[in-house]
Amino acid sequence: MVNISVSELTEILEITPAEQNIMLVGKHGIGKSEILTDFFYAKGIRVVTLFLGQMSDPGDIIGLPLKDEATGRTLFLPPYWFPTDDKPIVLFLDELNRARPEVLQTIMDLALNRKLAGRSLPIGSRLISAVNDGEEYQLTDLDPALVSRFNVYAFSPTVVEWTEWANRQKIDSRVVDFIVAYPEWLDGGHEKVQIDTGLEKLPDRRAWVKVAKIVERMQEVGPLSIKILSGVVGVSAATKFVQFISSNNLLTGREVLTAFDACKARLSKYKTHELAAVNDSVLRYLDTCSSMSEADIDVLKNNLVAYFNFLKKGKSKESVAHFASIVRQGNYSQAYSFIFLNVPEVYRGLIEYVSEI
């Protein structure tokens, strides 16, 4: 089974004919539903999500039976989601391999003929399913005949794609910086934490968004923070995260590049090693900004110029030399491209400092 990223999934959705079904295999909480909804919403196509693992019988899909008094035959009332305007939809069948066998039989006609209890979906409608993969799930074996109706891909968004998305969504920068520093914790970490109830709580992408919303409301980070966040991502990940943000209580690259004027007073009090850490954070943030809107890029450009001028006018020339040095090392290639293409005055300044190093 081939692995695909978010950008590759987008390309697949663009070029795959609507009559071909797609199946995405992956862990829960990696954004399958949200990515599909955003993609098709931009095209004006409604996405209907059905959680098959929650359905008890086929009636939840095909609708309630009704006797036709004229013919004496049984009809089925269309379910709430069925389109009545003849406009195509995307039917997203989530948790396909957690559905009951009798529900899966109903899906077969949908996958083959785009029909449900004799009622056809509008022309151009798509069928996309998602299945969970892993020993931690209670799964139903899928009939090979059903699987054969789908183009099957293992969906594995990259860490860079997640951080770019998180920055666009303005997820708390402490969470983003932690994942950049420790990418192995984005989808589970090193170990599982067994809870007395027999349940296991592990980090996933959905959980890190929850963490970001919680830490935004915290007045301070301490031992209680670990307990609170452990219920979201597990003890090991929560402990590692709290340790990380406790030892990195500096302004982040996103804060500097989106509101430099508000940060200037604090930056003026930083020592050389602290400014070096901010430099790294600034370049990390720039490295994930390629897909931002023009308006957001204009804000970044103006704040980057202001920050670079601040470094040049500062008491320690080492700070700007450090900034130039890490750009030259090539670890932040996207940031370098951003500066080269969008901020020529900063690029020229960097060249001058590089020549002196």
Side-chain angles (χ1 to χ4, degrees), residues 37 101 115 149 153 236 306 311 319 321:
T37 299
K115 287 186 176 181
R149 308 297 182 192
Y153 304 96
S236 295
L311 293 179
S319 298

Side-chain angles (χ1 to χ4, degrees), residues 48-96:
V48 176
T49 301
L50 300 180
F51 295 98
L52 301 187
Q54 301 175 10
M55 295 184 173
S56 58
D57 61 63
D60 292 335
I61 298 180
I62 63 177
L64 296 175
L66 176 69
K67 181 180 179 180
D68 187 332
E69 297 296 340
T71 64
R73 295 181 177 180
T74 299
L75 302 176
F76 289 90
L77 296 173
Y80 73 93
W81 55 266
F82 200 90
T84 57
D85 54 7
D86 207 32
K87 293 182 179 180
I89 64 169
V90 174
L91 191 57
F92 180 48
L93 306 176
D94 204 1
E95 302 178 336
L96 182 67

Side-chain angles (χ1 to χ4, degrees), residues 53-251:
Q54 301 175 10
M55 295 184 173
S56 58
D57 61 63
D60 292 335
I61 298 180
I62 63 177
L64 296 175
L66 176 69
K67 181 180 179 180
D68 187 332
E69 297 296 340
T71 64
R73 295 181 177 180
T74 299
L75 302 176
F76 289 90
L77 296 173
Y80 73 93
W81 55 266
F82 200 90
T84 57
D85 54 7
D86 207 32
K87 293 182 179 180
I89 64 169
V90 174
L91 191 57
F92 180 48
L93 306 176
D94 204 1
E95 302 178 336
L96 182 67
N97 59 340
R98 302 184 75 177
R100 294 172 178 268
E102 55 269 27
V103 173
L104 289 176
Q105 291 301 315
T106 304
I107 299 301
M108 183 69 81
D109 196 23
L110 266 177
L112 181 60
N113 302 312
R114 293 292 195 278
K115 287 186 176 181
L116 192 64
R119 193 180 296 108
S120 297
L121 290 174
I123 296 174
S125 293
R126 290 176 175 265
L127 200 66
I128 301 177
S129 69
V131 301
N132 295 323
D133 182 38
E135 296 179 355
E136 65 269 33
Y137 304 109
Q138 295 180 352
L139 305 177
T140 302
D141 291 334
L142 296 178
D143 189 320
L146 177 60
V147 175
S148 69
R149 308 297 182 192
F150 291 84
N151 302 344
V152 183
Y153 304 96
F155 183 50
S156 304
T158 66
V159 174
V160 171
E161 287 174 332
W162 187 86
T163 56
E164 289 179 345
W165 171 84
N167 282 327
R168 290 195 300 272
Q169 298 297 317
K170 303 191 185 315
I171 299 299
D172 191 288
S173 55
R174 290 169 291 183
V175 171
V176 179
D177 286 346
F178 174 74
I179 295 301
V180 169
Y182 301 99
E184 66 272 16
W185 284 102
L186 180 58
D187 290 309
H190 296 292
E191 58 184 301
K192 296 182 178 180
V193 180
Q194 189 71 30
I195 305 175
D196 292 340
T197 60
L199 300 174
E200 294 173 349
K201 195 63 183 176
L202 298 173
D204 57 46
R205 298 167 191 232
R206 183 185 298 126
W208 285 116
V209 175
K210 293 180 181 178
V211 167
K213 292 180 179 179
I214 291 173
V215 296
E216 285 177 353
R217 302 166 66 93
M218 288 183 175
Q219 298 297 320
E220 59 182 23
V221 177
L224 180 58
S225 304
I226 296 177
K227 288 189 175 182
I228 294 172
L229 300 180
S230 291
V232 185
V233 292
V235 176
S236 295
T239 302
K240 188 77 172 179
F241 173 69
V242 170
Q243 290 173 345
F244 175 81
I245 63 174
S246 296
S247 61
N248 291 274
N249 191 25
L250 298 173
L251 286 166

Side-chain angles (χ1 to χ4, degrees), residues 301 305 338-351:
K301 288 161 54 177
V305 171
F338 179 91
I339 295 171
F340 176 77
L341 295 172
N342 296 286
V343 203
E345 56 267 54
V346 172
Y347 178 75
R348 288 192 297 269
L350 289 173
I351 294 299

